[in-house]
Amino acid sequence: MIARKNVVIPALAATFLTAWVFTGDFVTGLESIFNASLTAATELFSIFLIIALVTALLGSLRALGADRRMVEPFRVVMRSGHSAFWVLALVTYVISLFFWPTPAVPLMGAILLPAAIAAGLPPISAGVAIAIAGQGMALSSDYVIQVAPGLSAKAAGVDTGAVADRSMVLSLITGGVALVLGYLMTRSEFQKPDALLLERWEAGESEVAVPAPRRSFIRVLPRRRVLQTAGGGEEPVAVLDPGPGSGGSRTGGGAGGTGGGADEPRDAMARAALAASDGDLPGADCPRRSKAFAAIVPLALIGLVGYLMLGKFTDLVPEVVGGDAAALVGGIATALLLSATIAKDGRNSLERCADHIVDGLVFSMKAMGVVIPIAGFFFIGNADFAGKIMGMEEGKAAPGFLFDIVVRMQDAIPDSQYVVGFGVLIIGMITGLDGSGFSGLPLTGSLAGSLGPASGVDPALLAAIGQMGCIWAGGGVLVAWSSLIAVAGFARVPVLELVRRSFLPVIAGLVVATVAGLIIY
């Protein structure tokens, strides 16, 4: 991954060798290749499904022309890629803090993300903002629901409130550093607001580098745009004509790309794209229904947030968290998909709705399917899955390879507070490699309880540091086979590229937070 190479073949080979060497059976090694991928697919399918359903919903809204109308009000606060980055991060953090990132990511993907793209924020930068604020910053503290602090505190033998307070401080420091670095590292790629950016993102277009001396990824010809393919060929892509005064060319989505002629206001292009009088635009034949669904979808999702808040802070409705919240989001997305398709296609809605769902599933598997064999390799390191993958008899103790690594490491940690602090952080990150941010918390909590008094470090602080490592890695921002798949899916970017972009900011944030925590406490 560091070498920017695809790791599917190494993961499959390592899965085979691990099972073969451990069991001593060559045939079991071969079977484990399939079993590991099947186990990973089973565990991750809920994420794939919600990506597919929300993508299908966006497809139905695009057919109505409601997607452009829906994002227009957010242009008030998202006037540029810079403001869009911080608005995305703030809203994601607030929602994720109360309900975990599970329902937050689809909400961002359905409403704010298209507005951010139209404002000039590159999809990869949007993914970085959402991942750091939700999967990292909010989930690592878990200050409201307090499942993570409770697990850490119980294993460390300390008060849950103490771990929660320290976790909140460490998460804010880590997230603050990571967001600032992520913004600085990607801001050169921000573009000027342009309705065509949303068009290209929704169409799934991607630019590829072309050999010199060509300086632009995309050439604009009269009434059509040509996408330069990797083989040097040309693929025409239907798109709105930029019109007079827009300049002779438009750069792609690479670093430093900008819109066309600087003399033409980008807001004028957005208004043109939303004009129902233009018969070439989706939804031009049903402007009232288009406007209606542009209001219904945000109101439905805002209502969902209100329902979740009622469950959290009152006894009026049952509390909904975690997987139940994801199921509720998926159900609402499906209901909206059906309604939008019926409104647009009438008698043909049965076929069109099926088409939208198939398109969503194809996109989900095509974009994220490569993660399955990689996740399978790390699942074989988890005792909860290793026995099933290697075909071990039920009731027989399965190996926990990742935890065995930690057990071997813990005796080598000296009694220095900084070495102990970073040792627990690294151990937490190792346990998070299986893609589950919470599975390693009992282990890091136990280490904090045993190493803290001997090294003179507050056990609650060590438990919080271990919690940072577990959740920032496996919760996750640093591994591609976690819920980060959902972020990459909605942003429509490669999940491994999202990991690479987030790696340095998050690691820097964890280092700063660990040092700051040891100084403060």
Side-chain angles (χ1 to χ4, degrees):
M1 290 173 64
I2 294 174
R4 301 179 67 85
K5 301 295 184 183
N6 196 304
V7 296
V8 170
I9 291 178
L12 292 173
T15 302
F16 164 70
L17 291 173
T18 300
W20 180 18
V21 171
F22 182 80
T23 63
D25 189 337
F26 179 82
V27 174
T28 299
L30 292 175
E31 293 173 345
S32 296
I33 297 175
F34 175 81
N35 289 337
S37 294
L38 180 61
T39 300
T42 302
E43 293 297 316
L44 298 175
F45 186 71
S46 60
I47 298 175
F48 281 68
L49 184 58
I50 197 168
I51 291 174
L53 292 174
V54 175
T55 301
L57 170 61
L58 291 176
S60 66
L61 296 176
R62 184 165 59 249
L64 266 173
D67 57 338
R68 297 174 188 81
R69 300 182 189 278
M70 189 172 64
V71 303
E72 184 65 14
F74 294 99
R75 295 177 65 86
V76 176
V77 292
M78 292 185 175
R79 302 190 64 84
S80 68
H82 305 278
S83 60
F85 182 92
W86 295 107
V87 170
L88 271 181
L90 177 62
V91 176
T92 302
Y93 177 73
V94 172
I95 295 178
S96 300
L97 194 62
F98 287 95
F99 312 115
W100 285 351
T102 310
V105 175
L107 293 176
M108 297 302 100
I111 300 180
L112 291 186
L113 192 52
I117 300 299
L121 185 67
I124 191 69
S125 302
V128 169
I130 294 173
I132 291 176
Q135 268 71 9
M137 200 169 165
L139 190 60
S140 64
S141 68
D142 194 16
Y143 194 74
V144 176
I145 301 176
Q146 293 199 357
V147 173
L151 291 172
S152 298
K154 184 176 181 180
V158 296
D159 181 60
T160 299
V163 176
D165 292 341
R166 286 155 179 75
S167 297
M168 173 59 84
V169 173
L170 295 181
S171 69
L172 290 174
I173 295 173
T174 305
V177 172
L179 282 173
V180 170
L181 289 179
Y183 168 76
L184 294 176
M185 290 172 63
T186 61
R187 65 176 180 173
S188 62
E189 302 175 27
F190 291 7
Q191 303 185 54
K192 293 182 179 180
D194 194 331
L196 292 180
L197 295 173
L198 182 59
E199 289 275 349
R200 290 165 48 197
W201 178 73
E202 289 182 331
E205 294 180 25
S206 59
E207 294 78 24
V208 294
V210 294
R214 296 173 181 169
R215 300 180 61 186
S216 173
F217 293 134
I218 295 175
R219 293 185 289 120
V220 178
L221 300 181
R223 302 300 300 178
R224 73 185 186 111
R225 187 170 73 224
V226 174
L227 182 67
Q228 298 292 342
T229 62
E234 298 180 351
E235 178 184 349
V237 181
V239 71
L240 294 174
D241 187 356
S246 64
S249 64
R250 182 182 307 277
T251 60
T258 61
D263 295 336
E264 181 175 4
R266 293 298 175 265
D267 285 345
M269 297 188 70
R271 288 193 296 271
L274 285 163
S277 60
D278 190 337
D280 293 335
L281 290 176
D285 57 337
C286 48
R288 291 185 178 179
R289 282 167 283 176
S290 176
K291 292 178 181 179
F293 274 89
I296 290 172
V297 172
L299 289 176
L301 297 178
I302 291 172
L304 168 61
V305 174
Y307 181 84
L308 295 175
M309 293 184 70
L310 284 176
K312 179 64 184 175
F313 298 109
T314 72
D315 296 327
L316 297 177
V317 297
E319 184 176 359
V320 183
V321 296
D324 291 337
L328 187 57
V329 172
I332 291 176
T334 305
L336 292 171
L337 162 65
L338 297 175
S339 303
T341 306
I342 293 172
K344 174 64 173 69
D345 298 291
R347 295 179 180 178
N348 298 324
S349 59
L350 295 177
E351 288 75 17
R352 289 300 300 145
C353 185
D355 290 342
H356 287 313
I357 293 175
V358 170
D359 289 343
L361 288 168
V362 168
F363 168 78
S364 177
M365 294 303 298
K366 184 176 180 180
M368 304 296 127
V370 70
V371 171
I372 290 176
I374 304 172
F377 167 59
F378 283 91
F379 280 178
I380 204 174
N382 188 322
D384 293 336
F385 304 108
K388 179 180 179 181
I389 291 173
M390 292 188 289
M392 300 175 64
E393 296 179 4
E394 191 169 347
K396 185 176 181 180
F401 299 119
L402 287 174
F403 285 88
D404 290 344
I405 293 174
V406 170
V407 171
R408 297 294 183 102
M409 288 178 59
Q410 65 180 358
D411 294 332
I413 301 177
D415 292 336
S416 165
Q417 63 174 354
Y418 287 98
V419 175
V420 168
F422 280 101
V424 172
L425 175 67
I426 293 171
I427 286 173
M429 295 172 69
I430 291 174
T431 61
L433 287 177
D434 64 354
S436 173
F438 284 27
S439 64
L441 294 179
L443 178 60
T444 56
S446 299
L447 287 176
S450 60
L451 294 176
S455 60
V457 182
D458 180 7
L461 173 62
L462 280 183
I465 291 174
Q467 184 173 307
M468 293 298 107
C470 289
I471 296 178
W472 278 92
V477 186
L478 298 182
V479 297
W481 40 94
S482 62
S483 56
L484 188 68
I485 299 173
V487 179
F490 287 115
R492 305 190 179 197
V493 296
V495 65
L496 292 180
E497 181 62 24
L498 183 55
V499 171
R500 294 188 187 103
R501 293 295 188 103
S502 306
F503 183 81
L504 287 179
V506 170
I507 292 298
L510 288 172
V511 170
V512 172
T514 301
V515 173
L518 291 170
I519 293 174
I520 294 172
Y521 297 105

